Amino acid sequence: MLKKVILDKMNRQINLEHFSSNLYLSMSSWCKAQGLDGAAKFLAQHSSEELGHMQKLFKYVNETGSQAIISGIEAPDTQFKNIKDVFEQTYKHELLITTTINELVELTLQEKDYATFNFLQWYVSEQHEEEALFKGIIDKMNIIGLEGRGLFMIDKEIGNLVAN
Ligand code: FEO
């Protein structure tokens, strides 16, 4: 069983990963409506990954004999200024997730819960990769630009990031 203080934060993280999945799905829908098929495909796939992050936490919590809680998920934004705005928001969101993961890791050390500390290491590495991924996309946008064919090229590049 997890200590209550850790369980509460694990359940909060389950909710946040669930929200991340919905946020990226909403962004995917906006991109699709703009004809940005590459970004729409990438964000839909990333939404599925976030659902995986949620389920991994859910499974771990229940394996400890504690109860994972599925709670209400805040509605994500549905309107964005442009594709750069979308990816700036994904990056900002991932930084927030990194902060919450780090808080959890810190808490497991304070509470001497080494099994959960060990479990969370996967999320620590994952956040490092995701920050680099989203930052890389923003960097590409800054290099290529969004004017004229730039937008088409960017969308294609993002679509190429999808694992087949
Ligand atoms: Fe589950 Fe993108 O962090």
Side-chain angles (χ1 to χ4, degrees), residues 14-68:
I14 285 173
N15 185 280
L16 275 170
E17 301 288 347
H18 222 160
F19 172 77
S20 305
S21 177
N22 283 358
L23 175 64
Y24 296 157
L25 201 57
S26 177
M27 287 170 163
S28 171
S29 181
W30 181 87
C31 288
K32 185 74 187 164
Q34 313 301 313
L36 299 165
D37 289 359
K41 192 165 79 163
F42 171 84
L43 287 161
Q45 195 216 32
H46 212 81
S47 166
S48 301
E49 281 186 26
E50 298 298 343
L51 211 51
H53 298 174
M54 184 279 278
Q55 285 163 344
K56 202 177 169 80
L57 281 159
F58 177 90
K59 186 166 173 272
Y60 176 82
V61 169
N62 281 333
E63 275 170 1
T64 67
S66 297
Q67 187 182 354

Side-chain angles (χ1 to χ4, degrees), residues 19-140:
F19 172 77
S20 305
S21 177
N22 283 358
L23 175 64
Y24 296 157
L25 201 57
S26 177
M27 287 170 163
S28 171
S29 181
W30 181 87
C31 288
K32 185 74 187 164
Q34 313 301 313
L36 299 165
D37 289 359
K41 192 165 79 163
F42 171 84
L43 287 161
Q45 195 216 32
H46 212 81
S47 166
S48 301
E49 281 186 26
E50 298 298 343
L51 211 51
H53 298 174
M54 184 279 278
Q55 285 163 344
K56 202 177 169 80
L57 281 159
F58 177 90
K59 186 166 173 272
Y60 176 82
V61 169
N62 281 333
E63 275 170 1
T64 67
S66 297
Q67 187 182 354
I69 301 290
I70 299 301
S71 49
I73 303 158
E74 191 190 326
D77 284 345
T78 57
Q79 299 303 318
F80 306 93
K81 282 195 220 107
N82 51 41
I83 194 170
K84 197 168 176 202
D85 180 36
V86 168
F87 283 90
E88 278 171 350
Q89 288 199 38
T90 61
Y91 182 57
K92 206 170 131 207
H93 184 68
E94 288 303 333
L95 292 179
L96 168 78
I97 299 296
T98 300
T99 304
T100 59
I101 290 290
N102 288 345
E103 280 172 12
L104 249 173
V105 170
E106 184 62 34
L107 185 66
T108 57
L109 282 181
Q110 277 169 22
E111 298 294 328
K112 299 187 173 22
D113 181 347
Y114 301 116
T116 307
F117 172 85
N118 190 46
F119 166 78
L120 288 171
Q121 297 313 299
W122 184 88
Y123 287 84
V124 172
S125 308
E126 183 68 14
Q127 283 314 118
H128 171 75
E129 278 177 27
E130 295 208 342
E131 280 183 27
L133 175 68
F134 287 111
K135 176 77 167 54
I137 292 173
I138 295 167
D139 288 346
K140 274 203 180 84

Side-chain angles (χ1 to χ4, degrees), residues 145-158:
L146 300 177
E147 275 76 47
R149 286 192 193 155
L151 184 58
F152 174 78
M153 281 170 69
I154 282 288
D155 186 53
K156 207 163 171 247
E157 285 275 332
I158 299 172

